[in-house]
Amino acid sequence: MRRPHIRSVAVAIAVTTAATGLAGTAFAGPDTGVERSAASAGTNTSAAVVKAAQTAAFAHAFATGVAQGDELHAQDVMIDPEGARHVRFERTHNGMPVLGGDLVVHLDAKLAYTGVTRAAAHAVAPATTRAKLTAEQAAAKAAQAAQGDARSAQLVVDARAGASALAYQVTVTDQQGTNTVVVDAVTGKVRSNTPDSDEFLSPKLLADLRKHGQTLDPATGTAAAPDSALAASGVAPYPTAGKGTGKTLFVGSVGLTTTATSKGHYLLKDPTRYGTETRDAKGSTTEKFSAGAPFTSTTDVWGNGTTSNRASAAADAQYGITKTLDFYRSTFGRKGIADNSKAAQGMVHWGSKVANAFWDPTCNCMLYGDGDGKTFKKPLVVLDVTGHELTHGVVDATAKLEPTYVDSDGNQYGEPGALNESLADIFGSNVEFYANNKNDTPDYLIGEKLGLAQKFLRRLDHPSLDKLEGTIDSWSTDTYYTEVHAGSGVSSHAYYLLAEGSGKKTINGVAYDSPTSNHSTVKGIGRAKATAIFYRALTRYMVSTTDFHSARVATLQAAKDLYGANSTEYKTVDKAWAAVNVTAANTPAARH
């Protein structure tokens, strides 16, 4: 799904000041007794917050699990309007990256320790630091497991799955992309073999569609006037912002801010959104955005609304990417996918007859296939697909939720992976509501424009109406063994109940009827508040191993932060999770 990695603390640290959210695998409060601030409020800069959090992590080692030989590398600093500070760390042990060693240290406004959210509930030190396999042997095993070409093997500590082991991490490349393979450095066992890209459609779903002969030929939009007036074209000197028109496949004619490189020459690149750009992969499977061909025009009109023009799909992609960026910035103050004011990127016409779309962390970009010409007749550049996939990028930049295991066909399993898919659906749906495009009615359905016989791919109000993937409405002990897209229904359903409540409701002409597993009645608090709670939970309190019960704790903490522990919002979060059978009482004693 994505490759764990350690960034240097020297990398610019994003500071989030918008009201956002929290969640985690284990949230530990402060030790008893009087806590002194690690730094004064007068030195409350990003560097001071990181230093205070590092100091606090070692000072509260029993709670944080940090031990001798560990180093903490800051990935993100978040400053809440109400005063709390949160620092997300990745960890090394004796210089080796620790997989599953991530944690978030929480501080108050005076930089005093208030708690921790940690992925690993155990010590990360492996039993041995002496490898029996050489790096070359590990690379060979990884290449065999992933059936590709292996790059060099790196020693890591694998602290996932409830124990720690010395291992090698290897990137393996084939024509479809890359996999991260982790090989035990002592036994030679392949501990995990995970695709680095997030596919919108699972291998199982694609196989089922082909087996049943379903053909998806989504209806296209209309060529109406652009939906909004964007940035004025301006005047020389060049380059400057251009006021373009995208004639898309799915949402009609839309306004696009482009780059005028000289008089009468335009580039499909948005200078008002960090230089966000869509390029043409021209059928290659490159994971280097620089290898894509730029889209240029002498008219500042992109596409013709049909697949006969290569720029039509690019117009959809650029529109979807920029709307997703606008949603995150307008709603949460998030500046770009990684909150670092950098461009979001997309490549259309990726690969040959690829019936899928991907978020690819290797190039930090969206990759869109054109369809296989049989099951999928058009490129997968639909708005909620883009919102869904770019949200995987947001998750990759924050909690890094990972599947627990992957089968031989590439299908992913486990609650953290299912939660990742759910968040992508939740925020992808919100992108639709934000865009409010008349050619793509905002709704709580995912993939409703793909042309499926059941009229949608997944839905948040009543997930089990999706018979294709067998999506589930509520949690059980079997959820751990459920494919991640199917398992996503648990938290997606909880979110819908929190936002809109149970029972029948019609929104924008779409009828919903949301059940509850405990036959309770839930009254929603509204989409805006529900979305704020889930985002805060993701960015503050979720870590790579967060499961559904941990997500419940996270969203409760987020609701407490935003609205108070005695608020209707807090109580409704609890009711929504109980309605999908996720409660404190049935929390598994032993986590997988």
Side-chain angles (χ1 to χ4, degrees):
M1 189 174 277
R2 56 190 56 77
R3 184 180 310 112
H5 52 284
I6 300 294
R7 300 185 187 93
S8 169
V9 180
V11 175
I13 299 171
V15 180
T16 304
T17 57
T20 51
L22 329 177
T25 295
F27 181 83
D31 297 342
T32 57
V34 177
E35 175 64 43
R36 288 189 171 185
S37 301
S40 70
T43 58
N44 211 340
T45 62
S46 294
V49 174
V50 169
K51 181 63 177 177
Q54 288 172 324
T55 300
F58 283 94
H60 298 271
F62 181 78
T64 63
V66 177
Q68 185 177 0
D70 289 354
E71 290 185 5
L72 300 180
H73 303 260
Q75 306 304 297
D76 203 1
V77 175
M78 296 152 282
I79 299 178
D80 298 337
E82 61 272 22
R85 281 86 173 98
H86 316 268
V87 183
R88 184 179 295 277
F89 290 108
E90 289 184 356
R91 183 179 349 195
T92 59
H93 180 74
N94 292 336
M96 296 179 289
V98 180
L99 311 184
D102 50 304
L103 65 157
V104 183
V105 175
H106 310 292
L107 309 171
D108 66 15
K110 294 183 179 180
L111 305 189
Y113 173 83
T114 60
V116 65
T117 306
R118 49 190 282 201
H122 54 276
V124 304
T128 180
T129 57
R130 181 170 296 179
K132 291 187 177 180
L133 267 70
T134 65
E136 291 75 16
Q137 289 171 326
K141 285 183 175 290
Q144 182 180 19
Q147 298 183 358
D149 297 323
R151 301 176 192 172
S152 59
Q154 177 188 19
L155 273 175
V156 298
V157 176
D158 188 358
R160 302 170 298 174
S164 297
L166 186 68
Y168 286 102
Q169 181 174 267
V170 188
T171 298
V172 179
T173 305
D174 62 18
Q175 291 186 343
Q176 298 302 315
T178 61
N179 278 33
T180 294
V181 182
V182 178
V183 179
D184 194 293
V186 177
T187 67
K189 177 184 177 181
V190 174
R191 298 177 65 86
S192 62
N193 176 13
T194 309
D196 288 327
S197 60
D198 282 284
E199 299 181 351
F200 184 69
L201 304 170
S202 69
K204 179 180 181 299
L205 175 61
L206 288 171
D208 287 346
L209 289 171
R210 290 166 182 150
K211 179 180 178 181
H212 294 97
Q214 281 207 48
T215 299
L216 284 69
D217 193 4
T220 56
T222 60
D227 68 336
S228 61
L230 298 177
S233 60
V235 294
Y238 296 99
T240 189
K243 187 178 178 181
T245 298
K247 294 190 174 182
T248 71
L249 296 175
F250 297 111
V251 288
S253 186
V254 297
L256 295 174
T257 301
T258 58
T259 299
T261 55
S262 62
K263 186 176 181 180
H265 294 86
Y266 304 93
L267 177 67
L268 191 56
K269 182 176 183 178
D270 190 336
T272 69
R273 294 174 177 86
Y274 325 114
T276 287
E277 182 179 2
T278 299
R279 290 190 173 186
D280 189 345
K282 292 193 171 182
S284 76
T285 55
T286 180
E287 292 184 90
K288 293 182 179 179
F289 184 74
S290 60
F295 280 96
T296 59
S297 171
T298 57
T299 62
D300 213 3
V301 176
W302 308 88
N304 62 4
T306 74
T307 55
S308 66
N309 189 312
R310 297 183 73 82
S312 297
D316 275 287
Q318 185 77 354
Y319 174 79
I321 292 170
T322 54
K323 285 299 181 186
T324 302
L325 290 175
D326 289 353
F327 159 72
Y328 275 107
R329 181 158 189 171
S330 175
T331 309
F332 307 117
R334 189 175 187 86
K335 298 178 181 179
I337 298 305
D339 200 19
N340 58 2
S341 299
K342 291 188 177 181
Q345 300 168 328
M347 281 195 287
V348 293
H349 310 303
W350 188 84
S352 176
K353 296 183 177 181
V354 174
N356 226 321
F358 313 80
W359 164 255
D360 188 340
T362 302
C363 69
N364 287 312
C365 63
M366 280 293 305
L367 304 175
Y368 300 91
D370 282 336
D372 56 8
K374 295 179 180 179
T375 303
F376 283 88
K377 299 286 189 178
K378 292 186 176 72
L380 275 74
V381 288
V382 178
L383 179 60
D384 60 6
V385 172
T386 295
H388 172 106
E389 291 301 320
L390 285 178
T391 297
H392 281 311
V394 174
V395 174
D396 188 54
T398 54
K400 296 181 176 64
L401 293 160
E402 296 279 355
T404 310
Y405 65 99
V406 182
D407 70 16
S408 59
D409 294 322
N411 295 294
Q412 302 177 14
Y413 297 84
E415 291 187 22
L419 181 59
N420 191 344
E421 291 300 331
S422 170
L423 292 166
D425 280 352
I426 288 167
F427 292 112
S429 173
N430 271 274
V431 169
E432 269 192 11
F433 279 100
Y434 177 84
N436 197 26
N437 186 297
K438 64 182 181 181
N439 292 310
D440 194 347
T441 303
D443 51 42
Y444 291 103
L445 310 178
I446 303 299
E448 74 278 4
K449 291 185 72 69
L450 293 178
L452 290 160
Q454 68 179 21
K455 307 300 183 185
F456 56 86
L457 178 57
R458 289 183 294 278
R459 58 188 300 154
L460 309 188
D461 67 312
H462 194 165
S464 64
L465 292 179
D466 163 29
K467 304 303 181 183
L468 281 170
E469 294 179 303
T471 305
I472 57 178
D473 286 332
S474 57
W475 181 85
S476 73
T477 53
D478 291 334
T479 302
Y480 173 79
Y481 305 101
T482 304
E483 192 274 331
V484 293
H485 296 86
S488 70
V490 175
S491 46
S492 292
H493 193 192
Y495 166 83
Y496 177 88
L497 290 166
L498 178 62
E500 302 292 350
S502 57
K504 294 182 179 181
K505 195 168 191 177
T506 299
I507 305 169
N508 292 338
V510 179
Y512 303 97
D513 190 358
S514 191
T516 59
S517 67
N518 58 357
H519 307 293
S520 64
T521 298
V522 180
K523 183 179 180 181
I525 62 173
R527 183 171 49 83
K529 288 182 177 180
T531 304
I533 288 169
F534 267 70
Y535 180 79
R536 177 176 283 257
L538 165 64
T539 55
R540 267 59 171 176
Y541 297 110
M542 289 186 185
V543 287
S544 60
T545 58
T546 298
D547 59 16
F548 291 129
H549 284 82
S550 299
R552 170 187 173 273
V553 173
T555 48
L556 283 169
Q557 182 65 43
K560 179 182 177 181
D561 290 346
L562 292 170
Y563 307 109
N566 295 317
S567 65
T568 297
E569 291 83 359
Y570 181 92
K571 294 173 183 177
T572 307
V573 169
D574 197 33
K575 290 178 182 177
W577 282 107
V580 299
N581 197 36
V582 177
T583 67
N586 67 13
T587 302
R591 300 295 177 88
H592 291 284

